[in-house]
Amino acid sequence: MRRCQLQTLERNATFRFSPEANDKSGADPQDNRTTEPFMNADMARCIETCLNCYKTCLSTAMNHCLEAGGKHTAPAHFRLMMACAEICRTSAHFMLINTPHHKHTCRECAEICAECAKDCKTIGDMDECVSACEACAESCRKMAA
Amino acid sequence: MRRCQLQTLERNATFRFSPEANDKSGADPQDNRTTEPFMNADMARCIETCLNCYKTCLSTAMNHCLEAGGKHTAPAHFRLMMACAEICRTSAHFMLINTPHHKHTCRECAEICAECAKDCKTIGDMDECVSACEACAESCRKMAA
Amino acid sequence: MRRCQLQTLERNATFRFSPEANDKSGADPQDNRTTEPFMNADMARCIETCLNCYKTCLSTAMNHCLEAGGKHTAPAHFRLMMACAEICRTSAHFMLINTPHHKHTCRECAEICAECAKDCKTIGDMDECVSACEACAESCRKMAA
Amino acid sequence: MRRCQLQTLERNATFRFSPEANDKSGADPQDNRTTEPFMNADMARCIETCLNCYKTCLSTAMNHCLEAGGKHTAPAHFRLMMACAEICRTSAHFMLINTPHHKHTCRECAEICAECAKDCKTIGDMDECVSACEACAESCRKMAA
């Protein structure tokens, strides 16, 4: 299973990892490949988690919530879902362009995701959204540290 | 000129201002329609400033910088320009969707814009970008307060 | 007033126009600034129109529609509003990065805007959205030609 | 391995598939959850392919290309990379919000991806980008049909 997740990560992440996969470079100084690894494995994982949360929040809001109506389209809830989708998209973008400011967008992303998870739990019937938001909050909190 | 800028704001902003802020709305203070004004004039102005900075940074990076090369495509500078464009876009988005989290994206936007203005000033030949970033930093700082 | 609008355009657009391309700018043909014009005046105007439509559709959907409910949050209508906001944002982005593919995104933008204008007219109470969409459809249609 | 990829799809995609549409899901046909499937498996896969191409093009441009310079930051090439990243992001967004216009953004996405794959092949040293663009072009072409 652990192995499986790594394969998954590699297949999806499309980044060049350093051989050790991460202890924060660990890149072989003898390695002469012209293309350097773009980022370490922690960041690659956080990008995945952010994009997964972006997908889940956006599609849940624009499909499940719109079709369910009622509490699901209450302005405060719906705006939170859309804000969550947008900050996840932006945080992934900041990591992909490799700007040191990704720490700040990740910190904000962690806060919005935590709030969104809580709100979705209260309203109910959005388990995937709760999981995606909680996973993203945790991953972004570490990235922001 | 002052008058002119107000007309400009109204033409561009396309938002319903609160009666005090919008002398043309003719909104009846007794009017009980459920739809509230979308936002006050300060926020409408900050959205404009953010989108203007987004446009200026993005087009400067993708036109002037790419064509000039040298210091203009140094990774740290170019990434800062792109990060600035992206956070401006996101901050405008957060205000438009009317989420209270716009204060946090505006705070981060102010920081990145201030840094981008400084970097563009040092490199030189990007006066429009410096002005747009400084104006956006100031506007977002107030919005974040 | 006409003068006022020009000042507006110049203040907002923040692009350097080529004298030939912009018969209204009043730019000095003797101006020898080394930095080339990024884009002609038609494109700068289309960017403005797209961003204005993006702002109007997004804020109308996320404020007026969400608060009004009923027909305003019917999935087909709400998705159209959000699709319109997104394609306007993308078309502006494509013009700003100066890719020749902007013609294709502008063509699609014109179609979605026209459809959104019609839908907003049918539902009613969204005059600003109708105007912004119609203006953007026309501007993008020309840009796509 | 096959099992592993399925877990991957399920973990990442976070969508509820309809049994008919997804012959690999192993979903229990007796499952009576009230929430409808958001989208079929083809669309869920196309969203993945688009987001993967977005990640690869954006991070390659902002890391590998910026650091390599020369042909890699030639304006036409760099703009194509950024246009490709943006249209992939938009196409994924259109599918996630479930708008019928996704067919048109997918068609444009297929064209830009094909062009980007060719350009990256010519310049060389961007195999991951070539693969991601080719996979996305194929997937989007089918979605647009």
Side-chain angles (χ1 to χ4, degrees), chain C residues 37-52:
Chain C
F38 293 162
M39 65 187 64
N40 64 38
D42 285 341
M43 192 180 280
R45 265 185 224 108
C46 191
I47 291 167
E48 287 306 299
T49 323
C50 284
L51 288 179
N52 188 53

Side-chain angles (χ1 to χ4, degrees), chain C residues 79-140:
Chain C
R79 283 175 193 142
L80 180 54
M81 296 282 282
M82 296 305 275
C84 193
E86 182 74 7
I87 195 69
C88 287
R89 182 152 86 145
T90 301
S91 288
H93 201 86
F94 265 50
M95 289 184 273
L96 287 163
I97 68 176
N98 206 0
T99 166
H101 288 282
H102 75 268
K103 279 178 179 287
H104 311 138
T105 50
C106 281
R107 187 176 309 130
E108 181 57 17
C109 193
E111 284 186 31
I112 297 180
C113 284
E115 195 181 313
C116 192
K118 207 175 148 188
D119 207 41
C120 288
K121 213 177 272 182
T122 306
I123 291 178
D125 197 22
M126 287 184 284
D127 294 348
E128 282 166 329
C129 215
V130 173
S131 307
C133 287
E134 286 178 346
C136 192
E138 191 191 336
S139 174
C140 280

Side-chain angles (χ1 to χ4, degrees), chain D residues 42-57:
Chain D
D42 285 341
M43 192 180 281
R45 266 186 222 107
C46 192
I47 291 168
E48 287 306 299
T49 324
C50 284
L51 288 179
N52 188 51
C53 192
Y54 155 69
K55 284 188 304 182
T56 312
C57 284

Side-chain angles (χ1 to χ4, degrees), chain A residues 105-115 136-138 140-141:
Chain A
T105 50
C106 281
R107 187 176 308 132
E108 180 57 17
C109 193
E111 285 187 28
I112 298 180
C113 284
E115 195 181 313
C136 192
E138 191 192 337
C140 280
R141 213 173 288 126

Side-chain angles (χ1 to χ4, degrees), chain A residues 4-113:
Chain A
C4 177
Q5 287 180 336
L6 282 176
Q7 289 175 341
T8 301
L9 188 66
E10 286 163 22
R11 188 178 62 88
N12 286 336
T14 69
F15 304 115
R16 297 184 192 95
F17 295 110
S18 56
E20 295 75 2
N22 181 22
D23 47 20
K24 272 180 193 158
S25 101
D28 177 0
Q30 255 60 50
D31 187 333
N32 290 315
R33 285 174 304 182
T34 50
T35 45
E36 288 296 307
F38 294 162
M39 64 188 66
N40 64 38
D42 286 340
M43 191 180 281
R45 264 183 226 109
C46 191
I47 292 168
E48 287 306 299
T49 322
C50 284
L51 288 179
N52 188 51
C53 192
Y54 154 69
K55 283 187 306 181
T56 311
C57 284
L58 183 60
S59 68
T60 302
M62 296 296 293
N63 290 280
H64 176 68
C65 292
L66 274 186
E67 278 154 25
K71 290 177 295 184
H72 285 90
T73 48
H77 171 66
F78 201 88
R79 281 174 194 142
L80 180 54
M81 297 281 281
M82 297 304 276
C84 193
E86 183 73 8
I87 195 69
C88 287
R89 183 151 85 145
T90 300
S91 288
H93 201 86
F94 264 50
M95 289 184 273
L96 288 163
I97 70 176
N98 206 359
T99 166
H101 289 281
H102 76 267
K103 279 177 180 288
H104 311 137
T105 50
C106 281
R107 187 176 308 132
E108 180 57 17
C109 193
E111 285 187 28
I112 298 180
C113 284

